[in-house]
Amino acid sequence: MKRIKKFRWWLGVSLVLSILFTLFYPLPYYIETPGGAYDVRTALTVNNKDDEAQGSYNFTAVSVSRATLARVLYALATPFSEIASEEGTTGGYSEEEFMRINQFYMETSQNGAIYQALTLANQPVSLNFLGVYVLDVASDSTFKGILNLADTVTGVNNQTFKSSSELIDYVGGLNLGDKVSVQYTSDGKEKSAQGKIIKLSNGRNGIGIGLVDHTEIAADVDVQFKLEGVGGPSAGLMFTLAIYDQLIDDDLRQGRVIAGTGTIEQDGSVGDIGGAAFKVAAADAIGADVFFVPNNPVDKNVLKTYPDTKTNYEEALETAQQLGTKMKIVPVKTVQEAIDYLKTN
């Protein structure tokens, strides 16, 4: 009898531990699922006024959560769920660093959206380039251990730039092995460091840092963002449309529920994003009428390695067909194309 009781006790303990492991023990993977579509009015205001027009602009998100065995099993049985490696999701960063990096991207996205919207609405605005946030330093960079996450590079060889692309072009034009000085700020202090030009993984010359613009907006129009727990640059297009629509006399929404995704660049182009399928599913779940998605060609070098790679538009269209949605999938390469569509449809 004692043996039976002891066996039952161990069986009970083992069962409890198994359940706890299945539900809570973190695995070295992440689960990506549709994260929802959110009315832009919950995220920003223009000149402290409520946007009361019918319809809505909605930015879409991908939900990323740490995998457990239970979540993995659920993802395997659920459409529009993907199991991704820890390295592939966070790039090797800690969760804290990953969130901080995404906040830098979101800041750039917000400023880019304000600049584009005001420019298109013929409102005075300037986008001041303060430098580039350091997001990563390559292992073979001579600045490894010197530049760190969140430092801002303000100049190279004492030259300043108006955009990150100018900085990249400048260092790309230097010769391999050339000595180079980098001016930067760290913890509010101005510093300078010496290094050399190296060959980057993309074949170009550079200093070996991952970067995103650090910018500042100067404008008479007051645009305030109130976002918490949301990061990344992919809401740029929808932010731009929402701000622009409040600055013009016309009503582009016309009562429609409009969703979409895409980064916004300084020249008004709409950049590619990740998770197009998840975002289409999120937009369909709220009954969106229109979904804007980037339509840029896949890089030839990517196609050589991954010949089955789809454009954002192709992925979105395929997902819409799987869902059987009536939502119109609209491909765009610039914010002006999105505006023109809303004006004529």
Side-chain angles (χ1 to χ4, degrees):
M1 184 65 68
K2 289 183 178 180
R3 288 183 178 180
I4 293 175
K5 287 183 178 180
K6 190 173 183 180
F7 173 76
R8 288 176 176 174
W9 186 84
W10 277 111
L11 182 63
V13 170
S14 298
L15 182 60
V16 169
L17 290 176
S18 296
I19 292 173
L20 291 174
F21 175 85
T22 301
L23 292 176
F24 301 110
Y25 187 79
L27 302 176
Y29 298 95
Y30 282 83
I31 307 297
E32 297 179 357
T33 57
Y38 307 97
D39 191 329
V40 172
R41 284 175 289 201
T42 65
L44 68 84
T45 57
V46 178
N47 288 330
N48 296 311
K49 295 179 180 179
D50 293 331
D51 177 5
E52 298 179 346
Q54 296 296 309
S56 60
Y57 288 109
N58 300 269
F59 65 96
T60 50
V62 176
S63 175
V64 180
S65 58
R66 170 70 76 168
T68 61
L69 181 57
R71 286 176 176 168
V72 168
L73 294 174
Y74 179 79
L76 291 172
T78 306
F80 304 112
S81 295
E82 186 172 308
I83 303 168
S85 69
E86 187 171 32
E87 176 72 22
T89 301
T90 67
Y93 297 104
S94 68
E95 289 192 24
E96 182 181 349
E97 289 174 332
F98 181 65
M99 288 300 296
R100 191 173 187 183
I101 287 169
N102 274 289
Q103 286 303 312
F104 294 155
Y105 277 120
M106 177 60 81
E107 177 187 310
T108 300
S109 175
Q110 292 170 357
N111 288 342
I114 296 171
Y115 178 76
Q116 282 303 319
L118 269 61
T119 298
L120 291 166
N122 297 315
Q123 297 282 340
V125 60
S126 62
L127 182 65
N128 301 322
F129 179 74
L130 304 180
V132 295
Y133 283 122
V134 176
L135 303 184
D136 186 31
V137 183
S139 58
D140 58 344
S141 172
T142 55
F143 293 95
K144 184 73 173 179
I146 299 173
L147 296 175
N148 296 290
L149 176 66
D151 288 348
T152 298
V153 173
T154 56
V156 178
N157 290 341
N158 293 309
Q159 295 196 42
T160 57
F161 308 94
K162 295 181 179 179
S163 68
S164 57
S165 59
E166 282 191 10
L167 185 154
I168 291 170
D169 288 343
Y170 173 75
V171 296
L174 299 177
N175 296 319
L176 188 65
D178 279 355
K179 292 182 179 180
V180 62
S181 66
V182 168
Q183 291 69 54
Y184 66 103
T185 59
S186 182
D187 294 327
K189 298 178 181 179
E190 296 184 0
K191 299 182 178 182
S192 183
Q194 304 290 323
K196 292 183 179 181
I197 295 296
I198 65 170
K199 183 68 70 175
L200 305 178
S201 59
N202 61 9
R204 297 190 64 180
N205 291 347
I207 58 176
I209 65 170
L211 51 82
V212 65
D213 286 0
H214 183 180
T215 55
E216 184 179 69
I217 285 287
D220 295 330
V221 175
D222 181 25
V223 180
Q224 293 293 328
F225 286 88
K226 43 183 179 180
L227 285 161
E228 189 172 333
V230 179
S234 65
L237 172 62
M238 300 313 296
F239 288 161
T240 304
L241 293 174
I243 298 168
Y244 174 77
D245 207 346
Q246 294 182 66
L247 297 174
I248 61 174
D249 295 330
D250 200 2
D251 175 19
L252 299 183
R253 284 201 301 255
Q254 298 180 21
R256 292 173 288 186
V257 177
I258 301 165
T261 185
T263 67
I264 193 72
E265 309 301 330
Q266 286 190 33
D267 61 357
S269 60
V270 176
D272 291 332
I273 52 82
F278 301 132
K279 294 175 181 179
V280 169
D284 180 61
I286 65 165
D289 301 300
V290 175
F291 185 85
F292 288 117
V293 63
N295 187 31
N296 302 306
V298 179
D299 186 270
K300 293 180 180 179
N301 292 324
V302 173
L303 285 174
K304 287 180 181 178
T305 308
Y306 306 100
D308 295 329
T309 303
K310 298 180 177 67
T311 65
N312 282 170
Y313 172 58
E314 289 170 341
E315 184 181 348
L317 193 61
E318 183 179 281
T319 303
Q321 292 169 347
Q322 292 175 7
L323 290 168
T325 181
K326 295 180 180 179
M327 179 173 59
K328 179 68 174 178
I329 307 298
V330 181
V332 293
K333 293 182 179 179
T334 67
V335 65
Q336 187 62 57
E337 289 182 5
I339 292 170
D340 291 342
Y341 176 87
L342 293 175
K343 285 182 176 179
T344 57
N345 290 275

